[in-house]
Amino acid sequence: MNPNRKPIIAGNWKMYKTAAEAVALVNELKRAVADVKESSVEIVVCPPFTALAAVGPVLANSNVKLGAQNVHWEKEGAFTGEIAPAMLKEHGVRYAIVGHSERRQFFGETDAGVNKRAKAALANGLRPIVCVGEMLAEREAGQTSAVVASQVRGCLAGFTQDEMLATVIAYEPVWAIGTGKTATPEQAQEVHALIRKLLGEWFGGDVASQVRIQYGGSVKPGNASALLGQPDIDGALVGGASLKAADFAGIIRGVL
Ligand code: 13P
């Protein structure tokens, strides 16, 4: 972490929790983090689309913000199964994850599509959380830097400085997602530093020094502080551990 960047801890609930279960979980979470100051850490939860309408009012005026797990680039239209930015904003959504590796692996999403989703989010006042990360075979072949650089370049193509500043990047090595195998703090820091260096080349050092880069992949209360202690790791994108209020609160407390 760096004192110039406010840490951001986001929970990606993936395809877990009905609307009723989601309300119960955010109520529990609100109690667990009631004393955490918004000035010290930004907290975001990203429930499934079907829970947003129910969860939005529960989080209003709290220190927990609402995010979505994806967003489409069009305002409306014949795009079966997709959700437009205005549909999210209506429920108080502030962040949208785009380009998660599960979307890339199982639903064919590409850097070009992620770029369109992120741009549309920004144009509509939503902050994208742009996910990048290498697969195990790519890491083993020594391709991590090339893969991540190419994803970051493709996903952020055509961004203005202001758009970059409103964006969060999440580095999630695919081999660390849901596997219990976390990247070591050093492995994660190396890639975060690379991403920040690239941002510096494309957007200037001032912008690069302000953009927040989260780590994701088996983050738990027990490993969060070591990861977040690294200079270029500015937060976490948490899957499994965000489904338990006590664990997610434990991760949040790790950055205080
Ligand atoms: P896990 O924390 O369950 O490994 O998931 C990480 C992730 O994919 C967050 O987007």
Side-chain angles (χ1 to χ4, degrees), residues 5-255:
R5 298 186 289 270
K6 192 198 287 191
I8 173 165
I9 309 292
N12 173 10
W13 292 9
K14 308 193 179 183
M15 199 171 73
Y16 291 96
K17 305 292 175 188
T18 62
E21 290 165 349
V23 167
L25 178 54
V26 289
N27 273 319
E28 214 188 320
L29 178 65
K30 266 176 40 172
R31 281 193 296 275
V33 298
D35 60 320
V36 175
K37 292 202 173 47
E38 275 189 86
S39 55
S40 54
V41 56
E42 206 171 346
I43 306 170
V44 182
V45 291
C46 305
F49 289 130
T50 48
L52 295 175
V55 166
V58 181
L59 293 183
N61 305 315
S62 80
N63 56 355
V64 181
K65 294 189 177 118
L66 190 57
Q69 297 176 21
N70 207 348
V71 61
H72 195 260
W73 54 84
E74 291 290 345
K75 202 167 114 232
E76 59 184 14
F79 298 100
T80 303
E82 292 286 336
I83 304 286
M87 297 171 182
L88 300 177
K89 288 206 78 180
E90 185 182 21
H91 297 299
V93 169
R94 317 272 281 276
Y95 283 89
I97 297 171
V98 291
H100 191 278
S101 64
E102 287 148 19
R103 299 296 318 167
R104 295 171 184 263
Q105 266 185 290
F106 306 132
F107 303 98
E109 290 202 16
T110 61
D111 291 334
V114 174
N115 178 250
K116 280 161 72 169
R117 291 176 190 274
K119 289 279 253 179
L122 288 160
N124 288 279
L126 293 168
R127 290 171 175 263
I129 298 177
V130 175
C131 303
V132 296
E134 82 287 0
M135 319 254 269
L136 182 59
E138 292 166 336
R139 174 162 284 265
E140 287 175 343
Q143 294 167 348
T144 299
S145 302
V147 167
V148 171
S150 150
Q151 288 176 334
V152 174
R153 186 180 286 111
C155 293
L156 306 181
F159 271 38
T160 63
Q161 287 194 332
D162 283 345
E163 287 176 331
M164 194 62 246
L165 287 170
T167 298
V168 174
I169 296 178
Y171 168 57
E172 300 203 307
V174 179
W175 48 271
I177 294 178
T179 57
K181 257 202 211 170
T182 325
T184 64
E186 294 73 25
Q187 280 174 323
Q189 165 60 24
E190 190 183 1
V191 180
H192 282 233
L194 165 79
I195 295 171
R196 201 176 305 286
K197 181 171 151 280
L198 294 170
L199 296 180
E201 288 166 15
W202 302 330
F203 298 97
D206 188 39
V207 170
S209 71
Q210 294 177 63
V211 174
R212 292 173 301 173
I213 308 174
Q214 297 175 307
Y215 168 79
S218 299
V219 177
K220 309 277 179 243
N223 59 27
S225 336
L227 286 158
L228 283 145
Q230 295 293 320
D232 287 296
I233 301 185
D234 310 309
L237 184 55
V238 184
S242 71
L243 297 170
K244 294 207 177 95
D247 285 357
F248 194 52
I251 292 168
I252 291 160
R253 289 186 193 286
V255 306

